[in-house]
Amino acid sequence: MKKKKKRGQRFNIHINDELKEVFVGHHTLFSVIGFTVGGILIGETLKEWLHIHIGLPITLIVGLVLILFTGVTLHKFSDKKITLEDDEDII
């Protein structure tokens, strides 16, 4: 049986690595937009719910504790570099 020749054009588009990272992979443009918009919507909803049910001062305290806990956990308030056991710098 004869193999049929495919007719038409084939397009091979070569894009550089920086442009490829925007559309392919874990940190694409769409995932950043999705997480940002989703985070804003959930955060605003949670803020309004807390404000209605427990009041503004306690909502502010909850937010401050959350910021401080996250900052301390992720070492955002320290200029000291985190190192592994074999003195390899992480940050």
Side-chain angles (χ1 to χ4, degrees), residues 38-88:
I40 290 169
L41 290 173
I42 290 174
E44 284 292 319
T45 303
L46 186 60
K47 179 196 69 127
E48 287 181 22
W49 187 85
L50 287 172
H51 185 143
I52 291 169
H53 288 86
I54 63 174
L56 181 62
I58 297 178
T59 301
L60 291 174
I61 291 170
V62 168
L64 184 62
V65 167
L66 184 61
I67 289 171
L68 291 175
F69 177 74
T70 305
V72 168
T73 304
L74 297 176
H75 304 282
K76 294 297 181 184
F77 301 126
S78 174
D79 291 335
K80 183 180 173 186
K81 289 186 177 183
I82 301 172
T83 57
L84 295 172
E85 292 175 9
D86 57 353
D87 293 332
E88 182 181 326

Side-chain angles (χ1 to χ4, degrees), residues 20-37:
K20 187 177 182 180
E21 288 179 5
V22 172
F23 298 105
V24 179
H26 295 290
H27 301 290
T28 64
L29 178 65
F30 307 111
S31 66
V32 171
I33 290 173
F35 280 117
T36 302
V37 172

